[in-house]
């Protein structure tokens, strides 16, 4: 597919045109509100997403500290929390079961949707797409702004639900009916679930506005010469993430709306033959399993919505700091495409144990294990990118390497889960929890950290404190592994259990749980180090003095150190080559803006012998 | 308190000092020149990477055996054996990849670190390599899929004809079970027939009649039906509302007013729900009357007797070495019938019966003997008279979040030798035939409850519909 389509999309944003975009003293400087609050500048919106994401990450992290205390230190006396948490702490100073369920529900929801979807995609798609493809801003700055404010609103609604007398939703982040369809089956079901559903609906609007904007921008606003196959890998990842989002989030929206109907209008989409504590219900004819199909039709693609941006950024960062082209650029793109397509046909692997026809289960086993192939290709390509590189280990690079390690460790357990027969043993146990936290939770966080440390200089014109970054990295990767690796041993333990103490079969894990909880608390504390470093460095970090501090080839480093609205001061630069010409022809790097020399063959045009000069360099050395 | 503050201040100070140190380190690094610092830092952290991965791998190989019996060494049922085998194969395959890739990752970071004299190589792709690592995983995964699907079909395939059939039902927050009884047939169920005395809604002539009376009431039996109880309550509440409103309007004491307002809100809420509850019951009654006509009962005379002899014991028993076939139901929300030792796990879905089969291979008694050899199980815990192993039982849990009591849905599975099982089921059958007999007294109607229960108020179903039968039998 040669992407001639790109070329002249030389869109010039009206209010950016022709002006001098120096730092602060711009004579068209918008007022404070337009600049920092209702801004339409993609860079500001990206920072809004990031900071809101950090807020939610702290909230979600705190919730996990609370329920880990219950799991690891069930006898701890929490009476001192009573002033804040009221009736959610029992007279004996313990977290009450209903609150425990609310904690895990909100933790999952917040981290999956608010932090790793909005916080991650919202931040980096917004920040990097225009800068890397050479556009002055997003296709629609206004929709972009709306996208953020819908996200904000979704957050407000979710936040309010914490203060309901009957508490927030408590039926799991997956919100399965009938538990979540009935008002009387749990306390969170009284009102919390309604807030949860409305918040999710608003969130989906935000996500759709964002995604449509990212897609349009990438398709239409690439600078001259930026063919599709010259785009840096993060852009490919953002594009496909947005495509997945646009195709799958509407399905969740329908699922949520039908659930709202079942809850409040007496419909029976998901309900049949229910007798709740002796009280017969009128609902008939629906199917709880239908909801699960709809949910996971989004739910599985959602995990890739979370991980693809991280994959893209990690590919970029590994390449830049290895001073080597990313290995197998086209394979990387095609594997992303394969993952995108496959992610839509594996959803029922979350439902092997629902009584689904075993034959259908088999089909999903096959697709599920196929998806491991493109994942494996990516891992091997990342490894080969490091091979014979000239690796600088700064915090972003370490986090990128950490990402690869976590993605491997967590991805491999997917191969157990995807095989339905083994999943009989593993379904709804802590093994699954370990799997998805490594492969998605922590890995995506590492991608995000790598991105923040790497592009912070571009975002704020200052550096983050390196030493703190190093401590943050080693502390976090050690804690993450110490939390989630031993968790695989808890294969017998069912998840979402307030306590396992009632069962002989689940005994013997008390010390392990205590260990895990301790590590979780330590790792939470370590993240505050990052938060501090982040905010401190925005104001007091060492100033950036070079335009291109890493020696990177991509366009964002051709903008002024603190780019204004419109990004480039003069014309937008033109692109002449792919973004991974590192250590080529004896040069450390060749920017994308540099025209090909007369005899130079562009990467990917004529097969591998031509563009890989490994052979030449071998001779050179010998 | 004071020490608390001291500690707090100390921590803050330490953090501040540490932070200053990191700042200084950064600054010194800059002053000495970026390049030299980068080289040194890279070396240091690449070294840390090697240490990290070495310790990590040691930790992995050290801790695995500590828990491996929990992970793969399951052999109490055929499912457990099949799955353990699959698990072990997958563990080897993924374990090898895990070690190799993770070690390479950190080793590359060390080996190819930036240092004087090291140069990166422009190696952008190689069709050969990429072909290899597309094709090898594909082959390996195909192998796993093939084995996996064989195991899957074996476990999920149709049950044997002579399997022991047990019906289990989940509801917030307990399990109950039912056996076919001597006739070998489970009586049909109907949710419309569920009431406190017939918690599973079993269909027999008597239960149909019983439900008619508990819904509509009966003058002859001097019983007020649920519908009427609700209507009375409706009137009562309307009366109360008038009284409370009068109090609120008239009382000078604001505390009394506030308290009354609260109660008022509560009963108003209750009132709001009553019409719905009445309609549901009227419709149920209507369905019952329409469906269970004398002609219908005559046409299905057989089926109507199946339910008489179904034992509903308080734990599940199955004979060893014989396939057990579980019919799994739920009454309210999703549950999941989970027997950890047997690798049995299947959702219980309201409105959609599911099933699962397994063949237990070790009786509860043999399992106890097996555990007796294990030091951790031989201890006698405080306040106990028997060692741990003697109290061992296969447990059933719930593996699908079902609400506040999810982690308390414990049930027991007993695997008997064939003789023990035969004895047990015979005893159950005779117990339950008495129940059936008492049911059939008085021309198909024995008061309301099949056993002399302490007059259960039929009114606003506040009691859990569970134990009327089981408890009174003990
Ligand atoms: C090698 C590829 C992978 C395979 C074969 C795989 C397979 C599975 C399966 C079968 C389950 C369901 C387990 C159960 O509930 O019984 C599962 C759960 C999960 N996986 Fe994966 N997975 C893979 C990679 C990933 C990736 C890349 C992510 C995210 C980035 C991910 C995120 C999750 C999440 C979030 C859950 C749990 C959802 C929940 O129940 O709350 N997985 N995985
Ligand atoms: Cu999935
Ligand atoms: Cu449950």
């Amino acid at each position: 597919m040669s992407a001639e389509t790109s070329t002249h999309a030389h869109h010039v944003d009206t209010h950016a045109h022709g002006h001098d975009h120096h730092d602060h003293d711009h004579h068209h400087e918008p007022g404070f509100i337009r600049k920092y609050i209702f801004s339409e500048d993609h860079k500001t919106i990206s920072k809004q997403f990031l900071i809101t994401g950090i807020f939610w990450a702290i909230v979600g992290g705190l919730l996990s500290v609370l329920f880990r205390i219950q799991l690891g230190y069930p006898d701890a006396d929490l009476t001192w929390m009573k002033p804040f948490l009221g009736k959610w702490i029992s007279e004996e100073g313990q977290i009450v079961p209903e609150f425990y369920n609310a904690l895990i529900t909100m933790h999952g929801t917040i981290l999956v949707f608010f932090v790793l979807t909005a916080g991650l995609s919202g931040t980096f798609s917004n920040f990097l797409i225009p800068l890397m493809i050479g556009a002055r801003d997003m296709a629609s700055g206004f929709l972009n702004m709306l996208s953020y404010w819908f996200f904000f609103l979704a957050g407000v609604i979710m936040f309010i639900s914490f203060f309901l007398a009957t508490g927030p939703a408590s039926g799991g982040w997956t919100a399965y009916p009938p538990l979540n369809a009935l008002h009387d089956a749990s306390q969170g079901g009284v009102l919390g679930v309604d807030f949860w559903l409305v918040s999710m609906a608003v969130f989906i609007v935000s996500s759709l506005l964002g995604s449509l904007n990212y897609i349009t921008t990438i398709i239409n606003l690439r600078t001259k010469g930026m063919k599709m196959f010259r785009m840096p890998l993060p852009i490919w990842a953002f594009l496909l993430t947005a495509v997945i989002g646009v195709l799958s989030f509407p399905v969740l929206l329908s699922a949520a709306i039908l659930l709202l109907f079942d809850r409040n209008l007496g419909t029976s989409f998901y309900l049949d033959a229910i007798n709740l504590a002796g009280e017969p219900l009128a609902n008939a004819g629906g199917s709880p399993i239908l909801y699960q199909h709809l949910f996971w039709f989004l739910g599985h693609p959602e995990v890739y919505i979370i991980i693809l941006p991280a994959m893209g950024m990690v590919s970029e960062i590994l390449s830049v700091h290895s001073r080597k082209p990313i290995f197998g650029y086209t394979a990387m793109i095609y594997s992303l495409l394969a993952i995108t397509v496959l992610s839509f046909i594996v959803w029922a692997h979350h439902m092997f144990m629902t009584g689904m026809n075993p034959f259908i289960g088999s089909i999903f086993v096959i697709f599920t294990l196929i998806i491991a192939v493109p994942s494996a290709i990516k891992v091997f390509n990342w490894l080969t990118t490091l091979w014979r590189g000239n690796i600088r280990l700064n915090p972003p690079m370490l986090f990128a390497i950490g990402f690869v390690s976590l993605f491997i460790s967590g991805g491999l357990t997917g191969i157990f889960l995807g095989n339905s027969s083994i999943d009989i043993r593993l379904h709804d146990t802590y093994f699954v929890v370990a799997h998805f936290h490594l492969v998605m939770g922590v890995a995506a966080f590492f991608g995000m950290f790598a991105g923040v440390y790497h592009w912070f200089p571009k975002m704020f014109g200052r550096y983050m404190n390196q030493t703190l970054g190093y401590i943050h990295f080693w502390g976090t990767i050690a804690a993450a592994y110490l939390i989630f690796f031993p968790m695989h041993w808890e294969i017998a333990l069912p998840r979402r259990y307030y306590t396992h103490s009632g069962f002989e079969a689940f005994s013997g894990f008390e010390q392990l749980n205590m260990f895990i909880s301790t590590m979780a608390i330590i790792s939470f504390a370590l993240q505050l180090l990052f938060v501090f470093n982040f905010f401190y460095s925005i104001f007091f970090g060492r100033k950036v003095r070079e335009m291109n501090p890493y020696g990177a080839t991509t366009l964002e480093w051709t903008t002024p150190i603190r780019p204004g609205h419109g990004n480039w001061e003069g014309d937008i630069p033109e692109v002449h080559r792919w973004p991974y010409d590192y250590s080529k022809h004896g040069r450390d790097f060749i920017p994308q803006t540099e025209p090909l020399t007369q005899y130079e063959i562009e990467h990917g045009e004529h097969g591998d012998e031509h563009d890989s000069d490994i052979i030449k360099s071998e001779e050179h050395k010998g | 308190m004071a020490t608390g503050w001291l500690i707090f201040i100390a921590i803050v100070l330490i953090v501040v000092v540490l932070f200053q140190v990191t700042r200084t380190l950064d600054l010194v690094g800059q002053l000495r020149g970026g390049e030299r610092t980068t080289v040194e830092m890279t070396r240091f952290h690449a070294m840390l990477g090697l240490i990290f991965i070495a310790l990590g791998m040691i930790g992995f190989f050290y801790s695995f055996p500590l828990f491996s019996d929990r992970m793969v060494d399951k052999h109490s049922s055929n499912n457990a054996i099949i799955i353990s085998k699959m698990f072990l194969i997958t563990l080897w395959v993924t374990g090898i990849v895990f070690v190799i890739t993770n070690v390479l990752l950190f080793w590359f970071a060390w080996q190819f670190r930036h240092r004087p004299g090291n140069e990166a190589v422009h190696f952008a792709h190689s069709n050969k390599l990429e072909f290899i690592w597309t094709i090898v995983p594909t082959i390996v995964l195909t192998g796993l899929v093939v084995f996996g699907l064989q195991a899957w079909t074996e476990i999920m395939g149709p049950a044997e004809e002579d399997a022991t059939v047990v019906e289990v039902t989940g509801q917030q927050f307990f399990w109950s079970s039912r056996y076919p009884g001597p006739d070998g047939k489970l009586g049909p169920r109907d949710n419309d027939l569920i009431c406190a005395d017939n918690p599973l809604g079993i269909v027999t002539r008597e239960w149909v009649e019983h439900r008619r009376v508990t819904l509509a009431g009966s003058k002859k039996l001097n019983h007020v039906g649920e519908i009427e109880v609700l209507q009375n309550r409706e009137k009562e509440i309307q009366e109360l509302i008038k009284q409370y409103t009068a109090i609120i309007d008239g009382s000078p004491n604001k505390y009394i007013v506030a308290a009354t307002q609260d109660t008022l809100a509560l009963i108003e809420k209750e009132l709001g729900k009553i019409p719905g509850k009445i309609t549901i019951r009227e419709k149920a009654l209507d369905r019952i009357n329409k469906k269970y006509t004398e002609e219908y009962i005559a046409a299905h005379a057989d089926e109507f007797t199946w339910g008489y002899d179904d034992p509903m014991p308080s734990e599940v028993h199955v004979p060893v070495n014989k396939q057990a076939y579980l019919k799994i139901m739920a009454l309210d929300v999703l549950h999941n019938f989970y027997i950890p030792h047997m690798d049995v796990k299947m959702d219980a879905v309201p409105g959609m019966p599911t099933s699962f089969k397994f063949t237990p291979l070790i009786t509860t008694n043999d399992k106890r003997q097996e555990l007796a050899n294990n030091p951790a199980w031989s201890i006698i815990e405080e306040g106990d008279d028997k060692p741990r192993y003697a109290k061992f039982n296969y447990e059933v849990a719930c593996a699908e979040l079902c609400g506040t009591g999810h982690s308390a849905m414990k049930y027991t599975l007993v695997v008997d030798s064939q003789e023990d099982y035969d004895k047990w089921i015979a005893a159950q059958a005779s117990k339950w035939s008495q129940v059936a007999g008492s049911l059939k007294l008085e021309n198909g109607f024995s008061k309301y409850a099949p056993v002399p229960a302490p007059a259960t108020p039929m009114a606003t179903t506040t009691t859990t519909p569970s134990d009327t039968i089981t408890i009174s039998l003990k």
Side-chain angles (χ1 to χ4, degrees), chain A residues 97-98 101 171-172 176-179 184-185 272-276 278-280 282 288 292 322-328 331 353-355 358 362 365-366 369 372-373 377 380-381 383-384 386-393 401 405 408-409 412 415-416 419-422 424-429 465-468 470 474 477 481 485 488-489 491-492 496-499 502-507 509 512 532 536 542 578 580-584 603 608 611 613-614, chain B residues 19 22-23 25-26 30 38 41-42 45-46 48-49 52 60 63-64 67 70-72 74 80 83-84 86-87 90-91 94 97-98 101-102 105-106 108-109 112-115 118-127 129-130 133-134 137-138 141 144-145 148-149 151-152 155-156 172 191 194 273 277 280-281 331-334 338 340-341 343 345-347 349-352 354 356 377 388 395-404 406-407 409-410 461:
Chain A
E98 175 68 20
N101 289 350
Y176 283 178
L179 180 60
D184 303 326
D272 189 20
I274 292 174
N275 186 298
L276 185 65
E279 189 59 36
Q292 296 188 24
S322 301
R323 316 308 299 156
K324 256 193 82 192
I326 187 77
F327 185 77
M353 304 288 94
T354 53
S362 314
V365 170
I366 296 171
L369 292 197
V373 175
I377 294 175
F380 292 126
N381 284 359
L383 282 176
T384 317
L386 296 184
W387 184 70
R388 306 201 59 183
N390 191 17
I391 299 168
R392 298 188 297 229
L393 288 180
I401 291 176
S405 171
I408 296 171
S409 309
L412 285 171
I415 294 174
F416 293 76
N419 225 332
S420 51
S421 51
I422 311 181
I424 297 172
R425 179 175 295 177
L426 303 179
H427 175 62
D428 258 328
T429 64
N465 180 312
Q466 280 233 356
T467 314
L468 278 182
Y470 282 127
W474 287 113
I477 192 167
Y481 266 118
F485 212 89
H488 292 99
W489 309 153
I491 188 168
R496 295 170 169 170
Y497 262 41
Y498 168 68
T499 169
F503 292 80
E504 185 78 61
F506 306 147
S507 64
F509 292 96
L512 189 56
F532 171 76
Y536 179 89
R542 187 162 55 83
W578 78 322
Y580 297 106
D581 273 338
Y582 288 103
S583 303
K584 191 181 183 187
H603 170 82
D608 49 319
D611 62 275
D613 52 1
I614 182 170
Chain B
F19 173 64
T22 66
R23 270 191 66 192
L25 282 176
D26 261 28
Q30 284 313 307
T38 311
M41 277 293 147
T42 295
H45 290 281
L48 276 184
F52 172 77
F60 171 55
S63 70
F64 188 79
F67 293 92
R70 306 269 184 174
M71 297 193 67
V72 291
K74 284 196 187 179
I83 293 171
S84 293
M86 275 308 299
F87 194 100
T90 315
L91 187 62
T94 54
V97 178
F98 168 74
T101 47
N102 264 309
L105 182 66
F106 287 93
F108 283 174
F112 304 111
R113 70 186 186 278
H114 172 60
R115 58 187 187 275
N118 184 35
E119 251 179 64
V121 165
H122 187 84
F123 180 39
H125 82 268
S126 147
N127 283 346
L129 280 179
E130 283 164 273
W133 56 62
T134 309
T138 309
L141 286 167
L144 288 177
V145 168
L149 290 185
W152 175 244
I155 296 173
M156 302 302 283
Q172 287 183 335
N191 267 30
I194 294 180
K273 288 184 178 168
K277 290 184 176 179
I280 288 173
R281 283 169 174 74
L331 287 184
D332 40 29
V333 301
L334 299 176
Y338 173 34
H341 282 92
D343 278 337
K345 195 180 278 161
M346 181 49 72
D347 277 0
V349 185
M352 188 188 94
T354 57
F356 205 81
W377 282 85
R388 257 182 92 203
E395 288 166 329
V396 179
C398 177
E400 182 66 61
L401 180 61
C402 56
T404 309
H406 173 48
S407 55
M409 278 183 70
K410 185 161 127 172
T461 57

Side-chain angles (χ1 to χ4, degrees), chain B residues 274-424:
Chain B
I274 290 181
K277 290 184 176 179
I278 293 178
T279 320
I280 288 173
R281 283 169 174 74
E282 282 168 352
K283 285 193 178 155
L285 185 60
D286 197 40
R287 280 193 298 269
I288 292 172
N289 285 334
K290 285 220 178 83
K291 182 170 180 193
Y292 300 110
T293 56
E294 280 308 318
E295 300 84 73
Y296 181 90
I297 296 180
H300 297 80
D302 248 16
E303 273 175 48
F304 273 74
T305 63
W306 293 348
Y308 285 132
D309 61 351
D310 295 354
M312 295 197 274
S314 55
E315 53 189 28
V316 175
H317 281 237
V318 289
V320 73
N321 290 330
K322 190 167 165 237
Q323 196 171 79
Y325 180 68
L326 300 168
K327 295 185 160 182
I328 303 169
M329 326 264 278
L331 287 184
D332 40 29
V333 301
L334 299 176
H335 302 273
N336 183 308
F337 195 77
Y338 173 34
I339 313 176
H341 282 92
M342 302 286 163
D343 278 337
V344 166
K345 195 180 278 161
M346 181 49 72
D347 277 0
V349 185
M352 188 188 94
T354 57
S355 64
F356 205 81
K357 67 188 169 61
F358 70 107
T359 309
L361 301 177
I362 303 179
T363 63
T364 301
N365 274 331
D366 287 352
K367 190 75 185 181
R368 288 180 184 160
Q369 293 317 310
E370 187 187 311
L371 289 171
N373 302 323
N374 183 333
W377 282 85
S378 323
I379 49 168
I380 302 179
E381 279 166 345
E382 253 186 55
D384 267 344
D385 45 351
K386 286 188 245 168
R388 257 182 92 203
Y389 70 79
K391 295 187 305 173
F392 170 86
N393 256 321
Y394 293 116
E395 288 166 329
V396 179
C398 177
E400 182 66 61
L401 180 61
C402 56
T404 309
H406 173 48
S407 55
M409 278 183 70
K410 185 161 127 172
Y411 206 53
T412 303
L413 166 79
V414 178
V415 180
D416 286 322
S417 64
Q418 185 70 47
E419 302 124 68
D420 286 353
Y421 175 76
D422 292 341
K423 267 186 236 152
W424 177 82

